[in-house]
Each structure stands twice: as C-alpha cells, then as structure tokens.
Amino acid sequence: MALGKDYATQDCSIAGALEVIGERWTLLLVRDALFGVRRYNDFLVHLGIPRAVLATRLQTLTANGILEKRRYQESPPRDEYVLTERGLALWPALRALGLWGRQHVTMIERRVFRHAVCGTDRELGPYGECPVCGIVVPVEDILMLPGRGLDPNPADPVSRALLRPRRLLEPVVTEPAPAGDRV
C-alpha cells in the first residue's frame, strides 16, 4: 500500500501539526529562526537547502503564520523572516526533540541553553525550566552557548556567528571568513 501525501484521514492534532511542520526541512528552518537566522541567504548557506525547497518552505511557514516576512531594505527590496507568537510556541517541541536526539541518537552536546536573566551555569531542564529559578524561561531570555560537540571551525559564516554565546532570537550578523580560510 502506497503512503499517502497527507494526513486527511487522521483525526488527530499531531497529524494536523505535521501537515504544517512535518516536512523534512521545516523544523530546521524554525530552529534557525530561533537561533536568530532571518535572511534568505543565511538560511540557504547554513542549511545547505536547495533554493526551490527553501522558497517553498518559507512560503508555507509564512502562510501558516509561523514566520512573518518583514522588509529590511527597499532598494533592492529584501525581506527577512521573523518568528511569530505561533512560531515561538514551537520552542518546547524543538527543545524536547533536540534533547531526545542528543540522548538517543547523536550522544553529542552541540548546544547548551541557560537562563540568561539569573545567570545560572546550569542547563535548562527538558521543559525549558530554569534549574535555579524554577520558572519556564521565555524564549527571549534563553542564552545559547556552544556545547562540547560543536565544530569550533565551521565553514559557513552563519555557523561561525552561532559559535558566540547569544540569546535566542538575537539576529545573526555574519562576518566573512578569515583571510587564511578563503579559497
């Protein structure tokens, strides 16, 4: 029996969510938006995603109210993609999926998330709770640091920018590769 192309016969909220965010690249785009990636070319470079797929996924995420397209330059016209409240609400699911992947698939700590406001040196719990304050930390108050398993010399400028400790949602500013690294 052939696998269907949608979940129309499923009367389930998980199936409904998968209709919007279940495609292979979609959660990685949302993850990158949480990390502060906003511009088309930065998504393209960081993910290595085909252009046509990226354009389609960004359109889908925008049409479903997960991302908002904002103009940041008029001439030539250029837009960036910013998470909406609906998109921010995906953080707990991405947090849980990332921890599951770390514990059961990769066994590698690539990123560490902490509560920036209280300054704890302990990682957030599985539900995004601060181990010191006990509160579920709002996304904008989460500090992201490189973990022990993160490549310290990545090739692309977005990955290099994400090596620095930063709050989630803080826009990524890329810098060119050091002169010795250019080909």
Side-chain angles (χ1 to χ4, degrees):
M1 180 157 115
L3 182 63
K5 295 200 182 286
D6 62 29
Y7 304 102
T9 62
Q10 297 293 311
D11 186 18
C12 167
S13 58
I14 293 173
L18 288 173
E19 283 293 328
V20 177
I21 61 166
E23 189 279 330
R24 176 181 175 191
W25 293 102
T26 303
L27 285 179
L28 295 177
L29 283 164
V30 173
R31 176 209 62 191
D32 274 14
L34 282 161
F35 289 0
V37 178
R38 293 181 167 192
R39 297 183 177 177
Y40 181 92
N41 197 56
D42 288 342
F43 284 116
L44 186 70
V45 167
H46 190 238
L47 294 172
I49 184 174
R51 286 181 184 275
V53 173
L54 176 57
T56 301
R57 296 301 163 258
L58 289 172
Q59 283 178 328
T60 299
L61 289 168
T62 303
N64 283 283
I66 294 168
L67 292 175
E68 178 183 322
K69 192 173 177 180
R70 292 185 189 161
R71 178 78 25 111
Y72 70 87
Q73 179 179 306
E74 290 300 329
S75 182
R78 299 207 190 275
D79 299 312
E80 62 183 7
Y81 297 87
V82 180
L83 285 165
T84 63
E85 288 298 317
R86 194 172 188 186
L88 291 172
L90 287 166
W91 163 249
L94 286 169
R95 171 77 178 142
L97 192 58
L99 285 175
W100 184 87
R102 181 195 301 179
Q103 293 168 359
H104 300 287
V105 180
T106 66
M107 314 301 183
I108 298 170
E109 179 187 72
R110 289 196 174 92
R111 304 215 183 268
V112 175
F113 300 94
R114 297 185 180 155
H115 188 192
V117 174
C118 79
T120 182
D121 63 350
R122 294 172 54 200
E123 186 167 19
L124 296 179
Y127 304 103
E129 72 279 6
C130 176
V132 174
C133 302
I135 66 166
V136 174
V137 180
V139 174
E140 61 275 3
D141 291 340
I142 296 173
L143 180 66
M144 179 177 69
L145 300 109
R148 292 183 296 271
L150 198 62
D151 178 1
N153 298 305
D156 72 272
V158 175
S159 293
R160 285 193 300 276
L162 293 175
L163 285 174
R164 294 186 290 281
R166 58 186 297 105
R167 284 189 186 212
L168 292 185
L169 305 178
E170 179 184 315
V172 167
V173 177
T174 58
E175 299 170 3
D181 292 352
R182 293 190 187 133
V183 195

